[in-house]
């Protein structure tokens, strides 16, 4: 792959199509937190109880959950752009209708329609951004994650500002902004090819027969039960106006975004997925119990809600990682199945919380939320073995783990230790492979070409940044080019899900197994920001490798990489 230095491509230098969808993503991700600041105002203005107002979450999320089962089938028949456009149009219509409604039941119904549009949009937006991106997928992913974080953080702030004028403001604001995004999508996003094989509408439900996916899905259901209990009911005991609630939930959203994008991958790389999730669920249970015990003290609730953002950010990222690690089915199918269970938990929680609060007092829903966080721990533990095997890539577990797949005919056997070159899909990959070939020739070593194929994982979504056929074709192109110059080489594809650092450690282990002379990498096309966000392949490789790791390029002398030299290179690139 690559070290972080040189003139790395900025993740923000993207075509207009990517910016159009990214803008729509920001508005879409505002949708959940947008209504939080206006919940008390809605209850007062429409003479509704908190349990009635909570149905704004339930209708939105339950429809989103059910629709997640079918969006893959819809997209495979209509194509990604048409599905995206339909989703945006539905959101515009139903957000505007919610703003014109004069009853709580009307808003609840229109939020259900909004949820349908949201499902169509979120299920295709990441795939469209990746397909439309230039200069590699890394920049596209960091842009999507930035849009996600911005939407989560800004949604409550916008809801608070517009809600301070009228509770109708946030609904009309979303309708206008999504209309702008719809026009931009129609104008700038090109038509994308449909999948070669249509997705079955019942494939996500069938996928839940797999123990690993079902276990992680139930864990996500329990987690989201607690999460949306807090989101739907915490505003009431805070006793704040719409503007003040917007500021509180903006602080919460900033922590969600920061810990989701920047800290979760690094904690995962350091401690492993399951241990971090255990500690995180326990932390959420404690925070929710503090809210329940201090529900009569607004300051306690405010501080606890803001702090919970850190735990929620970590959990949102790592739960999806866990699902994709243990799932033996195609990524879009696994995403739909997981999204169904996740949003069902989130949709049922506010409804149940409302009934409990009406029958008892406001602390009971929070105690139940704390319990669901804690119950999620033994559920996760029941699948711990599958997750551990997936991360270690041991045993016979069916799992989508970092793994090496041979491509083509291996080069003739040699007693000399090989030189391994690792590259991904970017325009400088051929030059890096050719430089590694010269290094192998000069040292009398055979050459292995490893192409790193990534699956991007964000929230409940996972998308293959390139197909297996495309990855194999990239390796074959390298091998054919080398063969034309009389250089025999062995080709491999390294598959990995979301975690660059894990892929680096797998390659380091392979290098040790074949007693490699050196592993060669090139300059990163992804940039320091992207590498910090998802963990650096090169840093993990350098730390774990027992052989020399060398930075190479077409016009430079190979440079031995150590943790110290990597730090120097990063500092010089910033």
């Amino acid at each position: 792959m690559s070290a972080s230095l040189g003139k790395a491509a900025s993740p923000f230098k993207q075509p207009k199509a990517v910016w159009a969808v990214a803008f729509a993503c920001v508005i879409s991700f505002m949708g959940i937190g947008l209504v939080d600041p206006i919940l008390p105002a809605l209850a007062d203005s429409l003479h509704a109880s908190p349990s009635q107002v909570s149905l704004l979450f339930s209708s939105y999320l339950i429809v989103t959950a059910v629709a997640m089962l079918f969006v893959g089938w819809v997209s495979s028949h209509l194509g990604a752009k048409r599905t995206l456009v339909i989703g945006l149009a539905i959101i515009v219509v139903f957000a505007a209708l919610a703003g014109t409604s004069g009853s709580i039941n009307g808003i609840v119904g229109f939020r259900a329609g909004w949820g349908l549009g949201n499902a169509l949009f979120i299920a295709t937006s990441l795939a469209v951004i990746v397909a439309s991106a230039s200069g590699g997928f890394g920049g596209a992913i960091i842009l999507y994650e930035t849009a996600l974080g911005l939407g989560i953080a800004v949604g409550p702030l916008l809801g608070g500002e517009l809600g301070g004028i009228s509770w109708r403001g946030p609904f009309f604001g979303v309708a206008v902004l999504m209309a702008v995004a719809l026009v931009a999508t129609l104008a700038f996003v090109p038509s994308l090819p449909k999948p070669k094989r249509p997705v079955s509408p019942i494939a996500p439900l069938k996928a839940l027969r797999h123990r690993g996916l079902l276990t992680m899905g139930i864990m996500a259901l329990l987690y989201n039960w607690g999460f949306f209990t807090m989101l739907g009911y915490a505003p009431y005991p805070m006793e704040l106006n719409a503007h003040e609630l917007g500021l509180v939930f903006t602080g919460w959203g900033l922590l969600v975004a920061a810990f989701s994008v920047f800290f979760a991958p690094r904690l995962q790389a350091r401690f492993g997925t399951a241990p971090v999730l255990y500690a995180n669920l326990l932390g959420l249970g404690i925070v929710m119990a503090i809210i329940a015990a201090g529900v009569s003290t607004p300051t306690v609730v405010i501080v606890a809600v803001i702090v919970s953002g850190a735990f929620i950010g970590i959990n949102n990222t790592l739960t999806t990682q866990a699902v994709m690690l243990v799932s033996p089915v195609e990524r879009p199918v696994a995403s739909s199945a997981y999204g169904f269970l996740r949003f069902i938990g989130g949709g049922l929680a506010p409804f149940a919380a409302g009934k409990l609060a009406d029958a008892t007092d406001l602390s009971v829903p929070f105690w139940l939320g704390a319990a669901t966080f804690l119950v999620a721990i033994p559920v996760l533990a029941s699948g711990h073995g599958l997750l551990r095997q997936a991360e270690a890539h041991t045993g016979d577990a069916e799992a989508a783990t970092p793994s090496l797949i041979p491509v083509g005919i291996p080069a003739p056997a040699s007693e000399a230790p090989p030189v391994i070159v690792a590259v991904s899909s970017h325009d400088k990959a051929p030059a890096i492979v050719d430089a590694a070939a010269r290094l192998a020739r000069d040292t009398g070593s055979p050459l292995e070409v490893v192409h790193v194929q990534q699956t991007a994982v964000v929230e409940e979504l996972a998308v293959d940044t390139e197909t297996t056929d495309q990855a194999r074709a990239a390796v074959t192109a390298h091998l054919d080019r080398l063969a034309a110059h009389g250089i025999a080489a062995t080709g491999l594809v390294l598959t990995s899900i979301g975690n660059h650092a894990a892929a680096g450690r797998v390659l380091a282990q392979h290098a040790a197994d074949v007693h490699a002379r050196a592993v060669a990498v090139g300059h990163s096309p992804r940039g320091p920001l992207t590498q910090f966000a998802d963990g650096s392949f090169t840093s993990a490789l350098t730390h774990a490798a027992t052989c020399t790791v060398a930075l190479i390029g077409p016009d430079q002398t190979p440079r031995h990489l150590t943790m110290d030299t990597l730090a120097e290179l990063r500092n010089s690139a910033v």
Side-chain angles (χ1 to χ4, degrees):
M1 283 279 282
S2 38
S4 172
L5 72 160
K7 294 183 179 180
S10 168
F12 303 107
K13 291 182 179 179
Q14 298 292 344
K16 292 178 180 178
V18 173
W19 281 108
V21 180
F23 174 73
C25 287
V26 173
I27 311 306
S28 175
F29 294 133
M30 287 181 181
I32 294 177
L34 187 82
V35 298
D36 263 287
I38 61 171
L39 293 180
L42 270 175
D44 291 339
S45 299
L46 298 178
H47 308 293
S49 67
S51 62
Q52 289 175 306
V53 175
S54 72
L55 295 178
L56 269 70
F57 286 102
S58 294
S59 63
Y60 176 84
L61 292 168
I62 290 174
V63 171
T64 297
V66 175
M68 288 295 288
L69 296 174
F70 304 102
V71 289
W73 176 78
V74 172
S75 180
S76 66
H77 282 79
L78 297 181
K81 180 180 178 179
R82 286 184 181 178
T83 305
L84 199 68
V85 167
I86 291 171
L88 287 170
I90 291 174
I91 293 173
V92 170
V93 170
F94 282 96
L97 288 173
T100 62
S101 178
S103 69
I104 193 65
N105 290 336
I107 298 175
V108 169
F110 294 136
R111 279 282 285 180
W114 188 341
L116 173 61
N118 186 60
L120 293 170
F121 175 79
I122 63 175
T124 51
S125 56
L126 179 57
V128 170
I129 281 183
V130 169
S132 305
S134 63
F137 79 92
I141 299 306
I142 198 65
L143 185 61
Y144 186 90
E145 291 178 325
T146 301
L148 184 154
L150 192 60
I152 290 174
V154 173
L157 184 63
L158 180 64
E161 293 300 319
L162 295 178
I165 302 170
S166 167
W167 64 261
R168 300 178 190 273
F171 298 118
F172 287 132
V174 167
V176 170
L177 293 172
M178 273 302 197
V180 173
L182 174 59
V183 172
T185 299
L186 286 168
F188 299 124
V189 176
S191 295
L192 300 172
K194 299 177 185 177
K196 294 180 180 178
R197 183 165 55 87
V199 176
S200 167
I202 61 173
L205 287 176
K206 286 185 175 179
L208 292 174
R209 295 181 299 183
H210 296 284
R211 182 190 162 211
L213 180 56
L214 180 61
T215 299
M216 297 304 160
I218 293 173
M219 185 266 290
L221 185 154
L222 292 166
Y223 156 68
N224 277 277
W225 186 291
F227 169 29
F228 282 98
T229 295
M230 184 199 71
L231 205 61
Y233 264 80
Y236 297 103
M238 290 183 191
E239 300 177 0
L240 302 174
N241 62 34
H243 175 74
E244 292 166 337
L245 282 171
L247 292 175
V248 168
F249 279 95
T250 296
W252 167 84
L254 288 171
L255 285 181
V256 171
F259 277 79
S260 176
V261 175
F262 295 109
F263 295 100
R266 307 188 82 78
L267 289 170
Q268 181 190 37
R270 167 92 174 161
F271 301 107
T273 304
V276 175
L277 282 174
Y278 290 140
N280 207 64
L281 289 167
L282 177 61
L284 280 169
I286 293 171
V287 169
M288 191 66 112
I290 291 172
I291 294 175
V295 74
S296 59
T297 308
T299 302
V300 171
V301 179
I302 291 168
V303 173
V305 166
I306 293 174
V307 169
S308 74
F311 294 104
I312 287 168
I314 293 169
N315 226 80
N316 284 351
T317 295
L318 296 196
T319 302
T320 307
Q321 293 273 6
V323 169
M324 297 304 152
L325 281 170
V326 302
S327 174
V329 299
E330 295 176 343
R331 307 286 182 272
V333 174
S335 293
S336 294
Y338 164 60
F340 167 68
L341 289 176
R342 177 190 180 198
F343 287 121
I344 278 290
L348 293 177
F351 174 77
K355 295 298 182 183
L356 282 172
D358 288 345
T360 55
D361 63 69
L362 195 53
S363 68
V364 175
F366 295 112
W367 285 118
L368 177 60
T372 59
F373 285 136
L374 298 178
V375 171
I377 295 174
V379 172
L380 174 61
S382 70
H384 184 94
L386 290 171
L387 191 55
R388 185 181 65 250
Q389 289 176 353
E391 289 196 297
H393 195 49
T394 59
D396 300 323
E398 289 182 304
T401 60
S403 58
L404 287 157
I405 304 170
V407 177
I409 301 173
S414 171
E415 293 184 0
V419 167
I420 300 172
V421 58
V423 292
S424 59
S425 289
H426 58 89
D427 55 2
K428 295 182 180 180
I432 294 171
V433 171
D434 292 346
R438 291 191 291 273
L439 176 63
R441 179 198 60 200
D442 294 343
T443 58
S445 304
L447 179 66
E448 285 191 7
V449 179
V450 177
H451 177 92
V452 182
Q453 177 191 5
Q454 282 284 323
T455 292
V457 178
V458 187
E459 285 288 298
E460 72 281 347
L461 302 176
V463 60
D464 292 321
T465 56
E466 58 185 334
T467 66
T468 300
D469 289 342
Q470 289 171 330
R472 287 178 174 272
V475 175
T476 300
H478 292 312
L479 298 181
D480 290 346
R481 188 181 65 258
L482 293 171
H485 292 85
I487 302 171
T490 299
L492 298 162
V493 170
L494 172 58
T495 64
S496 180
I497 294 180
N499 191 337
H500 286 267
R505 290 189 293 271
V506 168
L507 185 60
Q509 183 58 54
H510 171 70
D513 292 342
V514 299
H515 306 291
R517 184 185 301 277
V519 178
V521 296
H523 296 290
S524 174
R526 296 165 50 235
L529 176 61
T530 312
Q531 288 194 320
F532 179 81
D534 60 17
S536 169
F537 176 97
T538 305
S539 294
L541 170 65
T542 302
H543 182 76
T546 56
C547 63
T548 298
V549 178
L551 176 66
I552 61 172
D555 300 312
Q556 71 178 59
T557 302
R559 180 171 182 178
H560 181 204
L561 291 180
T562 64
M563 299 309 292
D564 290 338
T565 56
L566 275 176
E568 293 174 8
L569 292 170
R570 283 197 201 93
N571 291 335
S572 67
V574 175

